[in-house]
Amino acid sequence: MKAAIAPLLLWAHLAAAAQVAARTDRNRLVLEWQGDETIQVSVSRARGLLRSPVDIRVDQRAISFDGFYAVFNGLTDGYSAKVVEAAVRGNSIRVVHRLEHPELPAPAQVAFDVLMSPGNKAIRFRVTTQGEKLHLDRLGLGAHHGDG
């Protein structure tokens, strides 16, 4: 397994120590940071993080983005994606996708770990990929929605 990118940081801001917890809430996985304010990251258990809404709340403010997109071996579209794992792991969220494409030599696995630290307000998305003769050309964020 190889790291696709360095951790992507969203909402980086130093803060006093807080409590971090992850939980399952019906059909969603929720990661929550509670300190001087409450930060929640929520993702669908069924749809995961690829081209699927990710909701972020800071107290009463909300923003969302249309998940991540990936381009492997120059192939932008035509993937079929399946969530093979979506679970709380301690104080983090783990989502594993299996991607298939007629032009890829074998299925690709894309794993996301969503983490927060008690010492700051950063939301970290650690992304790893695995697959035969697979090259990750691009990983990006979908469009965002809300006032932020």
Side-chain angles (χ1 to χ4, degrees):
M1 190 175 298
K2 59 184 176 178
I5 62 169
L8 174 65
L9 301 178
L10 295 179
W11 234 295
H13 177 65
L14 295 178
Q19 299 292 319
V20 176
R23 68 178 188 281
T24 302
D25 185 10
R26 287 177 260 180
N27 61 346
R28 301 199 63 80
L29 300 171
V30 179
L31 181 62
E32 185 172 84
W33 185 96
Q34 284 196 334
D36 59 337
E37 57 191 354
T38 299
I39 301 170
Q40 290 182 336
V41 181
S42 175
V43 301
S44 167
R45 289 178 67 193
R47 295 182 59 200
L49 286 156
L50 287 174
R51 299 192 187 270
S52 176
V54 176
D55 299 316
I56 300 171
R57 295 191 67 77
V58 178
D59 289 332
Q60 300 305 313
R61 297 178 314 260
I63 188 171
S64 65
F65 65 95
D66 295 335
F68 292 86
Y69 66 88
V71 177
F72 291 98
N73 297 3
L75 303 169
T76 304
D77 297 312
Y79 292 97
S80 65
K82 178 182 177 187
V83 174
V84 294
E85 179 185 354
V88 167
R89 285 205 173 167
N91 290 332
S92 66
I93 293 172
R94 173 118 173 132
V95 178
V96 181
H97 290 268
R98 177 186 171 105
L99 296 178
E100 295 181 356
H101 192 285
E103 294 182 39
L104 286 179
Q109 180 173 292
V110 181
F112 292 87
D113 291 298
V114 186
L115 315 136
M116 293 185 79
S117 169
N120 65 47
K121 299 178 182 183
I123 302 167
R124 294 171 177 85
F125 294 87
R126 183 173 49 218
V127 182
T128 54
T129 62
Q130 187 175 15
E132 185 180 315
K133 297 181 182 174
L134 186 69
H135 181 266
L136 178 62
D137 297 316
R138 188 169 54 249
L139 179 71
L141 297 175
H144 79 280
H145 311 277
D147 296 332

mmCIF file of all heavy atoms in Angstrom, residues 2-27:
data_model
loop_
_atom_site.group_PDB
_atom_site.id
_atom_site.type_symbol
_atom_site.label_atom_id
_atom_site.label_comp_id
_atom_site.label_asym_id
_atom_site.label_seq_id
_atom_site.Cartn_x
_atom_site.Cartn_y
_atom_site.Cartn_z
ATOM 1 N N LYS A 2 0.581 2.219 -0.807
ATOM 2 C CA LYS A 2 1.385 3.426 -0.849
ATOM 3 C C LYS A 2 0.525 4.642 -0.572
ATOM 4 O O LYS A 2 -0.653 4.657 -0.875
ATOM 5 C CB LYS A 2 2.090 3.557 -2.185
ATOM 6 C CG LYS A 2 1.155 3.602 -3.375
ATOM 7 C CD LYS A 2 1.933 3.644 -4.664
ATOM 8 C CE LYS A 2 0.948 3.590 -5.820
ATOM 9 N NZ LYS A 2 1.577 3.672 -7.094
ATOM 10 N N ALA A 3 1.143 5.641 0.027
ATOM 11 C CA ALA A 3 0.415 6.869 0.336
ATOM 12 C C ALA A 3 0.213 7.645 -0.943
ATOM 13 O O ALA A 3 1.136 7.843 -1.715
ATOM 14 C CB ALA A 3 1.185 7.699 1.352
ATOM 15 N N ALA A 4 -1.009 8.073 -1.173
ATOM 16 C CA ALA A 4 -1.329 8.813 -2.386
ATOM 17 C C ALA A 4 -0.908 10.264 -2.263
ATOM 18 O O ALA A 4 -0.398 10.836 -3.209
ATOM 19 C CB ALA A 4 -2.820 8.722 -2.674
ATOM 20 N N ILE A 5 -1.146 10.853 -1.123
ATOM 21 C CA ILE A 5 -0.801 12.248 -0.901
ATOM 22 C C ILE A 5 -0.452 12.421 0.559
ATOM 23 O O ILE A 5 -0.758 11.570 1.387
ATOM 24 C CB ILE A 5 -1.966 13.201 -1.255
ATOM 25 C CG1 ILE A 5 -3.186 12.915 -0.367
ATOM 26 C CG2 ILE A 5 -2.312 13.134 -2.705
ATOM 27 C CD1 ILE A 5 -4.261 13.966 -0.469
ATOM 28 N N ALA A 6 0.168 13.520 0.860
ATOM 29 C CA ALA A 6 0.353 13.885 2.266
ATOM 30 C C ALA A 6 -1.032 14.188 2.825
ATOM 31 O O ALA A 6 -1.959 14.499 2.079
ATOM 32 C CB ALA A 6 1.260 15.100 2.378
ATOM 33 N N PRO A 7 -1.221 14.080 4.123
ATOM 34 C CA PRO A 7 -2.555 14.349 4.670
ATOM 35 C C PRO A 7 -3.081 15.715 4.233
ATOM 36 O O PRO A 7 -2.351 16.695 4.203
ATOM 37 C CB PRO A 7 -2.326 14.319 6.176
ATOM 38 C CG PRO A 7 -1.121 13.477 6.354
ATOM 39 C CD PRO A 7 -0.262 13.738 5.140
ATOM 40 N N LEU A 8 -4.329 15.727 3.854
ATOM 41 C CA LEU A 8 -5.004 16.958 3.452
ATOM 42 C C LEU A 8 -5.582 17.583 4.702
ATOM 43 O O LEU A 8 -6.310 16.938 5.441
ATOM 44 C CB LEU A 8 -6.122 16.631 2.464
ATOM 45 C CG LEU A 8 -7.013 17.775 2.038
ATOM 46 C CD1 LEU A 8 -6.210 18.806 1.248
ATOM 47 C CD2 LEU A 8 -8.160 17.264 1.211
ATOM 48 N N LEU A 9 -5.242 18.824 4.965
ATOM 49 C CA LEU A 9 -5.701 19.496 6.176
ATOM 50 C C LEU A 9 -6.790 20.502 5.831
ATOM 51 O O LEU A 9 -6.631 21.319 4.938
ATOM 52 C CB LEU A 9 -4.550 20.227 6.867
ATOM 53 C CG LEU A 9 -3.370 19.376 7.295
ATOM 54 C CD1 LEU A 9 -2.291 20.267 7.911
ATOM 55 C CD2 LEU A 9 -3.809 18.333 8.287
ATOM 56 N N LEU A 10 -7.889 20.406 6.531
ATOM 57 C CA LEU A 10 -8.959 21.382 6.405
ATOM 58 C C LEU A 10 -9.231 21.948 7.780
ATOM 59 O O LEU A 10 -9.286 21.213 8.757
ATOM 60 C CB LEU A 10 -10.235 20.724 5.871
ATOM 61 C CG LEU A 10 -10.185 20.169 4.471
ATOM 62 C CD1 LEU A 10 -11.526 19.535 4.127
ATOM 63 C CD2 LEU A 10 -9.861 21.235 3.457
ATOM 64 N N TRP A 11 -9.452 23.227 7.857
ATOM 65 C CA TRP A 11 -9.824 23.889 9.088
ATOM 66 C C TRP A 11 -8.696 23.868 10.104
ATOM 67 O O TRP A 11 -8.914 23.555 11.268
ATOM 68 C CB TRP A 11 -11.049 23.242 9.710
ATOM 69 C CG TRP A 11 -12.116 24.213 9.963
ATOM 70 C CD1 TRP A 11 -12.088 25.257 10.815
ATOM 71 C CD2 TRP A 11 -13.385 24.255 9.349
ATOM 72 N NE1 TRP A 11 -13.257 25.938 10.757
ATOM 73 C CE2 TRP A 11 -14.068 25.337 9.871
ATOM 74 C CE3 TRP A 11 -13.994 23.472 8.393
ATOM 75 C CZ2 TRP A 11 -15.347 25.649 9.479
ATOM 76 C CZ3 TRP A 11 -15.255 23.791 8.016
ATOM 77 C CH2 TRP A 11 -15.920 24.869 8.555
ATOM 78 N N ALA A 12 -7.498 24.171 9.703
ATOM 79 C CA ALA A 12 -6.370 24.159 10.620
ATOM 80 C C ALA A 12 -6.367 25.430 11.458
ATOM 81 O O ALA A 12 -6.350 26.528 10.947
ATOM 82 C CB ALA A 12 -5.068 24.038 9.842
ATOM 83 N N HIS A 13 -6.420 25.266 12.759
ATOM 84 C CA HIS A 13 -6.427 26.388 13.678
ATOM 85 C C HIS A 13 -6.005 25.851 15.038
ATOM 86 O O HIS A 13 -6.538 24.864 15.509
ATOM 87 C CB HIS A 13 -7.832 26.993 13.749
ATOM 88 C CG HIS A 13 -7.966 28.111 14.732
ATOM 89 N ND1 HIS A 13 -7.297 29.310 14.585
ATOM 90 C CD2 HIS A 13 -8.679 28.214 15.873
ATOM 91 C CE1 HIS A 13 -7.621 30.097 15.607
ATOM 92 N NE2 HIS A 13 -8.452 29.446 16.393
ATOM 93 N N LEU A 14 -5.036 26.486 15.666
ATOM 94 C CA LEU A 14 -4.591 26.036 16.975
ATOM 95 C C LEU A 14 -5.693 26.251 17.997
ATOM 96 O O LEU A 14 -6.430 27.218 17.945
ATOM 97 C CB LEU A 14 -3.325 26.776 17.393
ATOM 98 C CG LEU A 14 -2.097 26.503 16.538
ATOM 99 C CD1 LEU A 14 -0.922 27.331 17.031
ATOM 100 C CD2 LEU A 14 -1.750 25.032 16.553
ATOM 101 N N ALA A 15 -5.789 25.335 18.953
ATOM 102 C CA ALA A 15 -6.845 25.425 19.948
ATOM 103 C C ALA A 15 -6.403 24.747 21.231
ATOM 104 O O ALA A 15 -5.452 23.980 21.243
ATOM 105 C CB ALA A 15 -8.104 24.740 19.426
ATOM 106 N N ALA A 16 -7.108 25.041 22.282
ATOM 107 C CA ALA A 16 -6.870 24.355 23.547
ATOM 108 C C ALA A 16 -7.283 22.892 23.373
ATOM 109 O O ALA A 16 -8.075 22.557 22.499
ATOM 110 C CB ALA A 16 -7.691 25.010 24.647
ATOM 111 N N ALA A 17 -6.723 22.033 24.205
ATOM 112 C CA ALA A 17 -7.044 20.611 24.116
ATOM 113 C C ALA A 17 -8.549 20.392 24.206
ATOM 114 O O ALA A 17 -9.259 21.085 24.926
ATOM 115 C CB ALA A 17 -6.325 19.847 25.215
ATOM 116 N N ALA A 18 -9.010 19.412 23.476
ATOM 117 C CA ALA A 18 -10.435 19.114 23.402
ATOM 118 C C ALA A 18 -10.612 17.602 23.428
ATOM 119 O O ALA A 18 -9.653 16.855 23.526
ATOM 120 C CB ALA A 18 -11.015 19.708 22.126
ATOM 121 N N GLN A 19 -11.851 17.168 23.279
ATOM 122 C CA GLN A 19 -12.180 15.750 23.195
ATOM 123 C C GLN A 19 -12.518 15.416 21.740
ATOM 124 O O GLN A 19 -13.235 16.166 21.083
ATOM 125 C CB GLN A 19 -13.390 15.425 24.077
ATOM 126 C CG GLN A 19 -13.174 15.699 25.553
ATOM 127 C CD GLN A 19 -12.152 14.748 26.142
ATOM 128 O OE1 GLN A 19 -12.139 13.567 25.846
ATOM 129 N NE2 GLN A 19 -11.269 15.290 26.964
ATOM 130 N N VAL A 20 -11.997 14.300 21.257
ATOM 131 C CA VAL A 20 -12.296 13.827 19.908
ATOM 132 C C VAL A 20 -12.964 12.468 20.036
ATOM 133 O O VAL A 20 -12.490 11.600 20.781
ATOM 134 C CB VAL A 20 -11.023 13.708 19.050
ATOM 135 C CG1 VAL A 20 -11.348 13.108 17.681
ATOM 136 C CG2 VAL A 20 -10.350 15.061 18.886
ATOM 137 N N ALA A 21 -14.065 12.293 19.321
ATOM 138 C CA ALA A 21 -14.778 11.016 19.345
ATOM 139 C C ALA A 21 -15.391 10.756 17.974
ATOM 140 O O ALA A 21 -15.731 11.688 17.251
ATOM 141 C CB ALA A 21 -15.872 11.032 20.410
ATOM 142 N N ALA A 22 -15.500 9.492 17.634
ATOM 143 C CA ALA A 22 -16.164 9.087 16.395
ATOM 144 C C ALA A 22 -17.313 8.154 16.761
ATOM 145 O O ALA A 22 -17.232 7.406 17.730
ATOM 146 C CB ALA A 22 -15.175 8.394 15.470
ATOM 147 N N ARG A 23 -18.381 8.215 15.952
ATOM 148 C CA ARG A 23 -19.539 7.378 16.227
ATOM 149 C C ARG A 23 -20.308 7.095 14.936
ATOM 150 O O ARG A 23 -20.136 7.780 13.930
ATOM 151 C CB ARG A 23 -20.460 8.045 17.243
ATOM 152 C CG ARG A 23 -21.159 9.286 16.741
ATOM 153 C CD ARG A 23 -22.109 9.900 17.781
ATOM 154 N NE ARG A 23 -22.898 10.960 17.238
ATOM 155 C CZ ARG A 23 -22.481 12.208 17.031
ATOM 156 N NH1 ARG A 23 -21.247 12.553 17.331
ATOM 157 N NH2 ARG A 23 -23.293 13.113 16.517
ATOM 158 N N THR A 24 -21.148 6.089 15.006
ATOM 159 C CA THR A 24 -22.080 5.789 13.933
ATOM 160 C C THR A 24 -23.421 6.389 14.322
ATOM 161 O O THR A 24 -23.887 6.201 15.438
ATOM 162 C CB THR A 24 -22.225 4.265 13.751
ATOM 163 O OG1 THR A 24 -20.931 3.729 13.487
ATOM 164 C CG2 THR A 24 -23.156 3.936 12.613
ATOM 165 N N ASP A 25 -24.003 7.143 13.406
ATOM 166 C CA ASP A 25 -25.293 7.783 13.644
ATOM 167 C C ASP A 25 -26.217 7.390 12.491
ATOM 168 O O ASP A 25 -26.174 8.011 11.427
ATOM 169 C CB ASP A 25 -25.104 9.293 13.733
ATOM 170 C CG ASP A 25 -26.371 10.039 14.111
ATOM 171 O OD1 ASP A 25 -27.369 9.384 14.487
ATOM 172 O OD2 ASP A 25 -26.361 11.278 14.028
ATOM 173 N N ARG A 26 -26.988 6.338 12.688
ATOM 174 C CA ARG A 26 -27.844 5.749 11.654
ATOM 175 C C ARG A 26 -27.018 5.359 10.436
ATOM 176 O O ARG A 26 -26.202 4.472 10.519
ATOM 177 C CB ARG A 26 -29.003 6.660 11.303
ATOM 178 C CG ARG A 26 -30.060 6.703 12.405
ATOM 179 C CD ARG A 26 -31.144 7.645 12.062
ATOM 180 N NE ARG A 26 -30.845 8.868 12.810
ATOM 181 C CZ ARG A 26 -31.545 9.941 12.788
ATOM 182 N NH1 ARG A 26 -32.594 10.014 12.032
ATOM 183 N NH2 ARG A 26 -31.223 10.973 13.512
ATOM 184 N N ASN A 27 -27.184 6.054 9.327
ATOM 185 C CA ASN A 27 -26.474 5.682 8.101
ATOM 186 C C ASN A 27 -25.254 6.576 7.845
ATOM 187 O O ASN A 27 -24.749 6.623 6.733
ATOM 188 C CB ASN A 27 -27.428 5.729 6.903
ATOM 189 C CG ASN A 27 -27.997 7.116 6.687
ATOM 190 O OD1 ASN A 27 -27.892 7.984 7.554
ATOM 191 N ND2 ASN A 27 -28.610 7.331 5.540
#
